[in-house]
Amino acid sequence: MATAQGSLRDTRHRRLVVVCAVTALAAVGASGCSQDAADEQPSQGVVVNLGGEIAVLKGIDGKPEIVGQRPDGTETLDTYRLTAPRQLNTGDIVGIRDGGAVAISPDDPVKATLLGQATAWFPSVDKGKVWTVTEQTAAACEGQGLPTTVRAKYTIAEHETSGRPARRVVSMPCGIEPAAQTSQGIVAHQTTGDVPGSGNASRARTSVVLLDKNGAVSSVVAEAATVLAADADQVVWRADECPTGTCTKIYDAQAKKSRNAPACEAGDPVGTGTLAPGGRWYATAVRADNGTHLAVLDLGENSCRDLGAFAALDKTTDLDESLAATWSRANLLMIDQGTGELIEHNAPTGRVERRREALPVTNGAQVWGAHNA
């Protein structure tokens, strides 16, 4: 069966090449084919952080070329590590380092361009730009009668990845924490109350909301809910304290309504996953009887592809914890932070490739993206 499927894929690829060649004189047709073909190709120039050294691999099985040496005196430290690394469709890799958002080109992954101070960030719907998030203490919200779990007041600023100063800055109302941007506005959590916890601790009860251009709430996506991921027109969210069935929902910002996440035979999606640029594919852990599986949900076709059990996911159901994952266009790149196992999944074709030899990692590892994004 595997051979037959491989033959079908090879035939499909050859047909695609022929169609593209025949339509090369038609600019629109040629452009469409080249994009489809590019999305189906394996990643080249894969950038990985081996836990304090930066390496580039020509392909998933390529020899790691060390381009960023471990600085002297940092044998037990990872000075390159990024928080929330993600690759934009433009190719830039963005993440948080040392209290600031930085942009990194796969062409020179050691050089980081500081975009601005930030505790978090998310992509802008304006191509090649990002939003940085900064916070003030909750003292700025005194006297407003807010829940006690409101800990900060947030401000967002839109930056170009070139490092130019931000031209758009929006101060959020107290009780609003920005999470992402869709074509219909900023997605945020609005704290609506406190939920008693163990001891004297409390956690916030939040609604998922859309904001207008001034930061005010324009509509409520879901009450008692949490955003898991968002991009373009798709918002993946989870109903808090969901008792039965699937707790993961998909909100379409254009249609302005939510639906259940695609069903998976192995079980329901759990934890926090990662959404591909454009919002079509969502990679997530799935709770299964024989261990935690990794699945890729196709939000466009409402289907689920089960990629099987991953030992790293038995430690946590959140991707980018023990199993670090990032999308490079339609390729999902994953690395087991403990063992150095590197895996690539191509969403359009379903192809899965595992590196034959694990990468040498120290103090964890990250995969940032690829050159051909």
Side-chain angles (χ1 to χ4, degrees):
M1 178 63 72
T3 303
Q5 290 176 340
S7 298
L8 286 172
R9 280 198 297 268
D10 291 343
T11 301
R12 180 170 178 262
H13 179 69
R14 286 195 296 272
R15 287 175 179 169
L16 179 64
V17 172
V18 171
V19 171
C20 286
V22 170
T23 58
L25 295 178
V28 174
S31 175
C33 286
S34 63
Q35 181 62 61
D36 290 344
D39 281 347
E40 295 184 3
Q41 298 306 306
S43 295
Q44 301 294 319
V46 180
V47 182
V48 292
N49 174 9
L50 300 177
E53 291 182 309
I54 304 301
V56 176
L57 291 68
K58 289 184 178 180
I60 192 170
D61 264 319
K63 179 181 178 181
E65 176 189 355
I66 303 299
V67 296
Q69 300 287 342
R70 184 183 299 277
D72 292 339
T74 63
E75 288 75 11
T76 60
L77 301 174
D78 182 357
T79 60
Y80 295 110
R81 191 169 185 84
L82 298 174
T83 300
R86 184 173 178 179
Q87 187 167 28
L88 306 178
N89 256 347
T90 58
D92 288 319
I93 298 159
V94 180
I96 304 292
R97 180 187 291 165
D98 297 330
V102 296
I104 296 169
S105 169
D107 294 327
D108 187 4
V110 179
K111 180 182 177 182
T113 300
L114 179 64
L115 305 182
Q117 181 183 2
T119 56
W121 78 279
F122 49 86
S124 168
V125 292
D126 192 347
K127 186 177 180 180
K129 295 182 180 180
V130 301
W131 290 94
T132 58
V133 182
T134 54
E135 56 185 72
Q136 299 172 261
T137 64
C141 302
E142 288 182 357
Q144 297 189 26
L146 295 166
T148 60
T149 46
V150 174
R151 308 295 188 192
K153 177 177 170 59
Y154 298 92
T155 298
I156 59 174
E158 191 178 43
H159 299 263
E160 296 181 15
T161 54
S162 62
R164 293 178 181 175
R167 296 185 178 182
R168 295 178 63 192
V169 178
V170 182
S171 179
M172 301 284 105
C174 291
I176 299 291
E177 182 175 359
Q181 186 180 27
T182 71
S183 61
Q184 300 302 306
I186 298 292
V187 181
H189 291 118
Q190 181 181 30
T191 301
T192 58
D194 300 323
V195 178
S198 57
N200 296 323
S202 296
R203 61 179 179 82
R205 177 185 289 110
T206 60
S207 291
V208 177
V209 297
L210 284 176
L211 309 179
D212 63 21
K213 63 180 181 180
N214 297 316
V217 175
S218 60
S219 62
V220 177
V221 172
E223 296 180 349
T226 303
V227 175
L228 301 178
D231 197 283
D233 289 322
Q234 303 297 313
V235 180
V236 184
W237 59 275
R238 178 180 57 224
D240 297 338
E241 301 176 3
C242 177
T244 58
T246 178
C247 300
T248 302
K249 312 287 184 180
I250 312 299
Y251 176 79
D252 187 311
Q254 289 285 354
K256 298 183 180 180
K257 61 182 181 180
S258 293
R259 65 187 188 278
N260 287 339
C264 300
E265 289 187 10
D268 292 328
V270 292
T272 301
T274 180
L275 196 59
R280 176 167 176 178
W281 294 289
Y282 178 64
T284 181
V286 173
R287 188 81 72 192
D289 293 337
N290 59 337
T292 305
H293 286 207
L294 181 70
V296 173
L297 310 184
D298 187 334
L299 306 187
E301 304 217 352
N302 198 43
S303 61
C304 172
R305 178 176 286 123
D306 186 348
L307 300 186
F310 283 75
L313 288 177
D314 289 332
K315 303 172 187 175
T316 173
T317 56
D318 290 340
L319 294 190
D320 210 32
E321 291 293 334
S322 54
L323 183 66
T326 194
W327 286 95
S328 183
R329 283 195 184 274
N331 285 322
L332 176 66
L333 297 165
M334 301 161 282
I335 190 168
D336 186 315
Q337 297 197 52
T339 66
E341 181 184 17
L342 183 64
I343 308 106
E344 179 184 63
H345 165 67
N346 179 257
T349 64
R351 183 183 65 248
V352 177
E353 294 185 27
R354 294 174 180 261
R355 181 178 170 84
R356 288 190 290 266
E357 181 179 347
L359 292 167
V361 299
T362 305
N363 306 320
Q366 295 180 308
V367 56
W368 289 353
H371 183 275
N372 59 339

